[in-house]
Amino acid sequence: MSEIVNQSENQGSQSDLAAIAQPRPDRFFIKTFGCQMNVADSERMSVLLAEQGLTPADEVEDAQVIIINGCTVREKAVHKALSTLGRLREMKNRKQQRPIIGIGGCVGQLDRENLFKRVPGLDFVFGTDTIDNLPEIIHRVRSGEKHVVYADFDASMNYSTETKVFGFKAQAFVNIMKGCDKYCTYCIVPFTRGKEKSRTIDEVVDDVARLVATGVREVTFLGQNVNSFGKGNPNVKNRQPLELHNVIGKVGPRAGEENFPQLLRAIDTDPRCQDLKRIRFTSSHPLDFSDELIECYAPASQGGVARLSPHLHLPVQSGSNRVLQKMGRHHQIEAYFSQMARLRELCPDVGLSTDLIVGFPSETEEDFQDTLRLLDRVQFDHIYAFAYSPRPGTRAAKLQDDVPDQVKNERLNHLLNYQQGISEKLYASRIDSVMEVLVEGEAKNQKMAQTSTLTGRVWTGKTPCNRVVNFISDSPRSLVGQLVSVKVSHSTGFSLQGDVVVGDLQ
Ligand code: SF4
């Protein structure tokens, strides 16, 4: 539309006419379901498509290439992805220029060619190990091939990749390992992401150094079990493992293997990474949360890793040893308590979060009470809690799903309300403190600006311990990527509000 208006206004300008004659580049739209691994994978897909000359579309209706990046962790998530594809198919049938539609992620990996039967109109399927084949896949579909499938696992133990970030970002997700060897009884991930394999420390450090040079100030290391990084990697240099003295965790590096604490220390001391402010990581398993890793949280003056944020997401899933055993978690709740106590000793301000499942087969009221006691004892900032539902293809799906839905939902609501009380108290305890905030962008909700005496836009960012902080600034320029100090004046159970006391906001 604007091109036509320009044409009539400028009456014959050669350069504008040339611009008008250019065909508009094709656009892509990616809908992401699931975890941060999928978010990072979608970003990688965006860069790969942009390298082919495609540009992102704001609305799915405007896209010529549409990708669903699906999640299989719960049946509900799979249904969501498939029903989205169903709606897209209707849209495709209505259009004159029909877009090509594909599905990737764990759904593509698991259901492969079966998806063409379930979703007529689908053009391509790819898996978690074949994202980098996307340009080739799109080319083949555009060349007229039907039902293109790229969903084979890479059977080798090699894992090498370079992080791709779409546009300027102060934060980046960096995959350092992938896959999972834990096989918790309820979880499908080991079947969709394959065996654990890791990049080398040298490769990750080079990657982070490159990101820092582009302006990245915070990295989040990603993997299904980030803290088992390095295990079984055939490509490592023969590094000397640090002296081991694990008493809580059962595991640590084997001779000649690299491990996660070594990676943290390598980043922290590399001169090219000095402008990096924060390192985070997700997700982890309590079995691999070694003493050596806990010690990385100590103050730098006591041998800790200076850039490691005082924040930890360590999924525990249940407060009952009986349920943990049925879940195949291989850790005991007492060990988890010891890990958290030691961590708080070294880093009193650490912000903690976890994942919990309620209503797992055979969970009794007493088991559930154990989970509530866990919340009291650990004092998480946040929890991510779900009512159990069987995932076909897992061992737990063969157990009798004997906790009635009503009980599951009552327990879930009770758990969430209970945690809300804890979060509100923890957040309120921050009022009047000054916290360092890395600005992520303008807040979606600008209501705070309507009730404040300050004028300007509402910005949002996170503290080192991962708490969300909103503040108002009338700065005319973008604050994304800046570190500001905010004095907290209000709190809810989800976020903090305050005023900037130090920051380069002009
Ligand atoms: S550790 Fe357990 S829950 Fe986490 S990805 Fe592996 S199997 Fe799934």
Side-chain angles (χ1 to χ4, degrees), residues 179-190 224-225 284-285 317 329:
C180 180
D181 295 344
K182 293 286 188 289
Y183 292 91
C184 302
T185 59
Y186 53 85
C187 183
I188 197 75
V189 165
Q224 266 72 43
N225 283 310
S284 349
H285 192 291
Q317 308 299 1
R329 293 285 291 172

Side-chain angles (χ1 to χ4, degrees), residues 60-133:
V60 67
E61 283 80 9
D62 300 329
Q64 287 75 46
V65 175
I66 302 172
I67 296 171
I68 302 298
N69 191 5
C71 167
T72 52
V73 81
R74 267 169 280 279
E75 259 307 78
K76 224 177 176 176
V78 179
H79 289 148
K80 267 193 195 166
L82 295 184
S83 63
T84 306
L85 281 173
R87 286 196 298 278
L88 291 173
R89 176 187 158 215
E90 285 165 23
M91 187 194 83
K92 180 174 178 168
N93 289 340
R94 283 198 314 271
K95 288 204 155 204
Q96 227 176 5
Q97 194 202 348
R98 290 157 60 101
I100 63 171
I101 300 177
I103 184 162
C106 295
V107 177
Q109 188 66 55
L110 204 62
D111 288 346
R112 304 171 57 112
E113 34 282 290
N114 294 333
L115 287 162
F116 296 119
K117 284 187 220 133
R118 296 175 79 176
V119 190
L122 188 65
D123 296 296
F124 62 95
V125 174
F126 61 108
T128 51
D129 267 3
T130 45
I131 292 168
D132 286 353
N133 295 101

